[in-house]
Amino acid sequence: MKKIIALTLVAAALAVSACNTVSGAGRDVSAAGRAVTTTAEEVKN
């Protein structure tokens, strides 16, 4: 659970710092969601 929270925070920080437009923010949030989903599935298995 701590890994998921840490990765979410890192992904959120990257998303906020990397996006310049609303569409860029959407792509960044989507990428962060995929990262969290992947990590959760790895932890589950």
Side-chain angles (χ1 to χ4, degrees):
M1 188 63 164
K2 288 183 182 180
K3 277 186 180 181
I4 294 171
I5 293 170
L7 286 173
T8 301
L9 291 175
V10 169
L14 289 173
V16 169
S17 67
C19 66
N20 293 321
T21 65
V22 174
S23 65
R27 287 191 301 270
D28 291 341
V29 170
S30 178
R34 282 192 301 273
V36 170
T37 300
T38 301
T39 303
E41 288 178 359
E42 288 174 0
V43 169
K44 186 174 77 171
N45 295 328

